[in-house]
Amino acid sequence: MATEEETTILQMHDLKPAPGANKSRTRVGRGEGSKGKTSGRGDKGTKKRYQVRPGFEGGQLPLYMRLPKLRGFKSPFKTVYQVVNIAKLAELFPEGGEITVADLVAKGAVRANQPVKVLGEGETTVAFKLSGVKVSASAKAKIEAAGGSIAE
């Protein structure tokens, strides 16, 4: 006949931390019997007497003062145009005609939802009718000489 063994079920109220897992913190500066005297701050010096501010290098010129200062200014309101030259327009639209920003986006010359400016590098013989774009003075002269027009 087999002997019956008693089975114990582990329950929440039986759980406790492993021996040595919970260690009480050291209360420094509370008398000689419990880490007294210097309280872990060592012997003499500024850091024993009070806290040194961050970045203090013992009287040496600190790093934040040795580094060069920020120069200049960048306006957050500056308008940055996407540029397209006349040579690129002549390549993309060899027959000329009416050109809008949407047409330039469709051909992959510019990105959508950003202002576009046409610059005068290159030559053209076909007439372009530009609308919705800025045009430089040299580009305007070349487009109008070829029989084109600009409507901004």
Side-chain angles (χ1 to χ4, degrees), residues 12-146:
M12 288 297 287
H13 63 264
D14 293 329
L15 295 175
K16 60 183 177 183
N22 286 355
K23 194 173 174 185
S24 57
R25 73 179 181 90
T26 307
R27 295 175 68 234
V28 296
R30 295 294 182 271
E32 291 295 305
S34 60
K35 194 97 175 187
K37 195 171 175 267
T38 57
S39 304
R41 283 174 175 255
D43 216 16
K44 296 184 185 174
T46 308
K47 289 185 210 159
K48 174 193 173 148
R49 298 174 211 291
Y50 58 87
Q51 189 64 38
V52 177
R53 65 176 165 71
F56 183 69
E57 296 184 27
Q60 175 177 306
L61 194 67
L63 180 68
Y64 70 89
M65 289 179 76
R66 293 197 301 263
L67 294 175
K69 291 168 184 64
L70 181 67
R71 305 268 182 209
F73 166 77
K74 287 200 176 180
S75 173
F77 307 108
K78 181 181 177 180
T79 304
V80 179
Y81 291 97
Q82 297 183 85
V83 295
V84 180
N85 284 302
I86 289 181
K88 188 74 173 173
L89 285 179
E91 183 186 312
L92 293 173
F93 304 96
E95 70 289 335
E98 196 163 317
I99 301 170
T100 62
V101 177
D103 297 330
L104 291 169
V105 170
K107 293 269 186 173
V110 293
R111 291 188 204 95
N113 306 321
Q114 290 181 4
V116 178
K117 187 166 187 175
V118 178
L119 302 181
E121 192 176 303
E123 296 299 323
T124 183
T125 53
V126 291
F128 297 121
K129 287 187 178 177
L130 296 174
S131 59
V133 296
K134 285 267 190 189
V135 184
S136 70
S138 61
K140 187 173 185 177
K142 288 181 183 180
I143 289 167
E144 287 175 349

